[in-house]
Amino acid sequence: MYKPHPSDELRQHFAERPYQGADPMAAKLLFVGLDANYDEAIAKSPAFTSVLEYHQDGVAFWRRYGVHHPFLLPYYRGDGRRYHQTFAKIGFQPDHAHLVSFVELLHLPTVGRSQLVPADLDSCHVKWLDNVIRAGEAQHIFVSAGVLRLMQSTDQFHWLRGGHTPVDSLPVLYDDGRRKIYRHLHFSNYGKFQAQLERERMHIGALLSLSSS
């Protein structure tokens, strides 16, 4: 179950570009989430213009403002900031903007807390995402445990059913010699997960260096 975001503009951006950041077919590092969640009243926020600008061209936005997401701008107030603050600690810089893309299993933006099940997913979007992962340029693909469970419950990702192999701090779920899929902690975690988050950030940062070379 999920609640679509009421903003026509926000939904239109996702219909035209079902991703955030760089074009996922060209990006080298791909982060797969469940759904893109926004405050229900964000359209009335002073940050909304920046949000729309970001969705229009995430790479240009990052290079213009020095942050990878509008939730990190000083005048943004709302949920989602912790996720992007943790993500930023990996060490991404504006010069890396063309390498990084965010995609979601759900095809439209939401509000509130979603409890997604396979029936919520749009078949065309899921096929598009499967093609992005398997035919795109991404060398390193990251999924959290919740994302992995939902992917594995669909027929589209039948190929992602093997056991995982621990490698340093990031379990490798899939490796075809050209791309690897890793399981990681959700970036909103904190507290007792802090040490593991730090190890994973360092590992992803090292992969970023390899992808940039």
Side-chain angles (χ1 to χ4, degrees), residues 5 7-14 38 48 51-52 55 109:
H5 199 282
S7 168
D8 291 336
E9 289 177 284
L10 201 54
R11 293 198 310 273
Q12 183 61 35
H13 273 279
F14 272 86
Y38 294 84
F48 191 56
V51 169
L52 296 181
H55 282 295

Side-chain angles (χ1 to χ4, degrees), residues 20 46 96 108 129 144 157 174 184 188 201 208:
Q20 300 176 65
H96 302 134
L108 44 69
L129 180 57
S144 66
F157 299 101
Y174 178 87
H184 71 98
S188 293
R201 287 201 303 265
L208 173 63

Side-chain angles (χ1 to χ4, degrees), residues 164-189:
H164 64 263
T165 304
V167 176
D168 297 334
S169 62
L170 283 174
V172 176
L173 304 166
Y174 178 87
D175 183 354
D176 67 0
R178 192 178 76 82
R179 67 183 62 76
K180 291 181 180 180
I181 301 178
Y182 308 85
R183 192 190 69 214
H184 71 98
L185 286 175
H186 195 278
F187 294 120
S188 293
N189 278 300

